Amino acid sequence: MGDRSGLRSAAVLLWVPAVAFALFFISANATGWAANYPLAAASEANDGVVIIGPYVALAAAWEMGALRSLWGRLPVRRPWWRVLSGRLALVIGCGLAAMVTLYGVLGHATVLTDFPGWSLPLISVISVLCWSLFGAAVALIFRPLVALPVALIAPFLVISLPQGWSPLWLRHLNGYLSDCCSTTDVLDSRAVLASLGFLAAIAVCALAVIAVRLVRDPRSAPATAAVALAVTGVAVLGAWALISPASQLGPLPTATRPLAQLDCAQDVCLWPEDKIYRDANQTGWDQVQASWRALGLPLKTTRIGPVTTPTLLGVTVTTDSTDQVRASMASLLPRAVLGCQDDYTDQNRNDALAELGYLTLNGTGHPDPLVTPLRPDQPQPTAADAGRLWSSVQACS
């Protein structure tokens, strides 16, 4: 089946434009997470599936369209799966090379020196295989005039459109696990398994269609169709089993990073990628803690970190500006002590905590005129009001 040079194939001819467009897409939608966090770098690279998926599907449809025009006219002694692998080897190889290039360029070798785990690389590989098989199956069903546009557009829609759908967890099914990850986060295994299950189901269904379309012996066609149908059913059921737990997720595919990975020194615990901010956090915390105590307010622990736990107050900040650290810590501390970081349902409590933050920042000796919770008709709180304000608020459940 060597009817033309591999250098003239769509996979090769479109490789550079596809990679360039993927890099442009990623840069235009960059989340700004820490560049030295391998998982964040790998997530940015994996976002390239929005472009690389349609690219390999189109290239596979082109290859299989050429095969479709010759199938049945030339004697072929090889089994269908060997014919398929021969036609798609270059497409899949180019797709994987494109993803490796994205990982290398966006990770600046970080992904190679600090491996981000298998989840995202595995999703990238399965995405390339899935959409390659999808493009091949489409080309064996439709004529090129229909197959090529469908192969190009359908993967793009499947990958990109669910980002705006409701329920929100549907966006975690297609391998495009965007908005990952801050240094506080890791990928949630439910989102990873949902993507792998959905993509694997598409790949198996496409493979079943290819097997049926490429069968040459009419006598074996019914058996091949029956096996393909059974395998497809099993794949769909398996995919549903993997997808179902993801329905409990919200808009983000992330979970809190294991606390065992924190790097602690003195009173400050930070993720390894954020250690460069330790001095600013320690200086700011010494001042904010002293101001808080001077107001006569309780402090359950003196250790701080990026998340609140029974032994940590989640008030650390990823900046080396001491002024910003002080202002942020003073605002976060009242909520961290009460466990109310994400609870803004009680407006009276919100006002009281904002005033306590204001008093705490003023007590450091470095008030910020831009940081004020006060309405124009509201009297200025004083340090003497701190006890009353604190007694008026309740901890969050």
Side-chain angles (χ1 to χ4, degrees):
M1 295 307 237
D3 49 292
R4 65 182 183 278
S5 168
L7 294 177
R8 295 169 53 196
S9 70
V12 173
L13 294 175
L14 296 176
W15 191 86
V16 171
V19 172
F21 192 21
L23 287 170
F24 171 77
F25 174 84
I26 293 170
S27 64
N29 294 274
T31 55
W33 298 129
N36 62 338
Y37 185 26
L39 191 58
S43 178
E44 275 198 338
N46 182 70
D47 288 351
V49 298
V50 176
I51 306 302
I52 302 304
Y55 152 68
V56 295
L58 177 64
W62 186 274
E63 292 294 328
M64 296 306 288
L67 176 66
R68 184 177 187 268
S69 65
L70 298 173
W71 197 251
R73 301 181 184 180
L74 298 177
V76 178
R77 295 184 176 87
R78 291 181 297 170
W80 67 268
W81 57 268
R82 287 188 59 188
V83 174
L84 175 67
S85 60
R87 300 301 297 192
L88 295 189
L90 184 59
V91 174
I92 293 172
C94 286
L96 294 177
M99 293 306 302
V100 168
T101 300
L102 296 179
Y103 274 84
V105 170
L106 297 170
H108 303 291
T110 299
V111 176
L112 302 179
T113 56
D114 298 301
F115 190 60
W118 286 105
S119 297
L120 286 169
L122 182 59
I123 287 174
S124 298
V125 170
I126 296 298
S127 294
V128 169
L129 295 175
C130 162
W131 297 119
S132 297
L133 291 170
F134 173 81
V138 168
L140 291 175
I141 297 175
F142 304 108
R143 294 186 178 276
L145 188 63
V146 175
L148 295 179
V150 169
L152 179 65
I153 296 172
F156 179 78
L157 296 179
V158 170
I159 297 171
S160 61
L161 284 185
Q163 297 299 308
W165 286 359
S166 183
L168 298 175
W169 62 269
L170 291 175
R171 66 185 63 188
H172 307 315
L173 305 187
N174 52 21
Y176 180 34
L177 301 179
S178 60
D179 207 20
C180 167
C181 294
S182 72
T183 50
T184 301
D185 299 326
V186 293
L187 279 175
D188 194 302
S189 60
R190 293 171 294 181
V192 173
L193 292 175
S195 280
L196 291 175
F198 180 76
L199 293 171
I202 293 177
V204 171
C205 292
L207 197 59
V209 170
I210 294 169
V212 171
R213 297 293 291 179
L214 291 184
V215 65
R216 297 186 59 83
D217 187 354
R219 293 172 298 178
S220 63
T224 302
V227 171
L229 186 61
V231 171
T232 298
V234 171
V236 170
L237 291 176
W240 179 249
L242 294 176
I243 289 171
S244 294
S247 63
Q248 303 169 11
L249 296 174
L252 298 178
T254 57
T256 302
R257 193 172 179 180
L259 298 180
Q261 297 181 20
L262 282 171
D263 186 292
C264 298
Q266 299 182 36
D267 292 331
V268 179
C269 295
L270 295 169
W271 303 116
E273 297 79 15
D274 299 332
K275 288 190 296 183
I276 57 175
Y277 307 119
R278 185 180 305 282
D279 289 343
N281 274 272
Q282 186 66 62
T283 300
W285 175 236
D286 289 341
Q287 297 172 358
V288 168
Q289 177 185 182
S291 174
W292 181 266
R293 291 187 184 279
L295 293 172
L297 301 177
L299 200 61
K300 61 182 181 180
T301 179
T302 61
R303 289 167 61 85
I304 61 174
V307 294
T308 294
T309 71
T311 58
L312 287 177
L313 294 170
V315 299
T316 55
V317 186
T318 53
T319 177
D320 54 8
S321 168
T322 305
D323 289 338
Q324 293 181 28
V325 169
R326 274 193 300 264
S328 296
M329 283 186 176
S331 174
L332 293 170
L333 181 56
R335 290 190 168 276
V337 174
L338 288 178
C340 297
Q341 291 92 331
D342 302 317
D343 189 341
Y344 292 84
T345 56
D346 187 333
Q347 188 56 48
N348 291 330
R349 179 172 59 201
N350 294 343
D351 293 341
L353 294 180
E355 291 184 47
L356 286 169
Y358 175 76
L359 291 173
T360 303
L361 181 59
N362 284 353
T364 65
H366 301 274
D368 186 339
L370 299 179
V371 179
T372 174
L374 306 179
R375 296 186 297 270
D377 59 340
Q378 198 172 0
Q380 283 273 358
T382 66
D385 297 318
R388 174 184 60 79
L389 290 170
W390 184 252
S391 63
S392 68
V393 296
Q394 295 180 345
C396 299
S397 56

